[in-house]
Amino acid sequence: MPAIERDQELDFEVFFETEYERLLRSAYLLCRDRADAEDLAQEAMVRVLERWDRVRAAGSPTAYLYRVALNLHRSAWRR
């Protein structure tokens, strides 16, 4: 694996470890169900990972993560 890709992976790992628990608590406040909150938090993290290059370059990955989670919750609620 090239060094640049490995650095990006490490950056995301640190981001994940820093943000996941807080995101999970916030997702629980939205969903009021532990399993749904876990699904929401995991899906939001996957979406951020898929776009990690752009997200981390944008300057506020945490804000992007929470926006993704909120949008996912809204979409599920509408269905």
Side-chain angles (χ1 to χ4, degrees):
M1 178 178 292
I4 292 173
E5 288 179 20
R6 184 67 187 140
D7 288 345
Q8 290 173 350
E9 269 187 38
L10 290 174
D11 286 346
F12 183 78
E13 288 174 13
V14 170
F15 176 75
F16 182 91
E17 290 173 11
T18 303
E19 298 297 332
Y20 184 76
E21 286 299 319
R22 190 166 53 139
L23 175 65
L24 182 58
R25 286 191 302 271
S26 296
Y28 180 79
L29 292 174
L30 289 172
C31 299
R32 299 289 185 201
D33 180 80
R34 177 74 182 188
D36 289 343
E38 288 173 354
D39 289 345
L40 178 61
Q42 291 169 9
E43 183 63 27
M45 282 291 186
V46 167
R47 300 258 177 122
V48 169
L49 175 59
E50 291 172 345
R51 296 164 185 84
W52 184 243
D53 290 343
R54 288 179 279 158
V55 171
R56 77 180 189 147
S60 185
T62 302
Y64 185 86
L65 172 66
Y66 279 82
R67 176 55 64 184
V68 168
L70 183 59
N71 289 343
L72 287 169
H73 177 69
R74 283 183 192 158
S75 293
W77 186 78
R78 286 181 184 146
R79 283 184 249 128

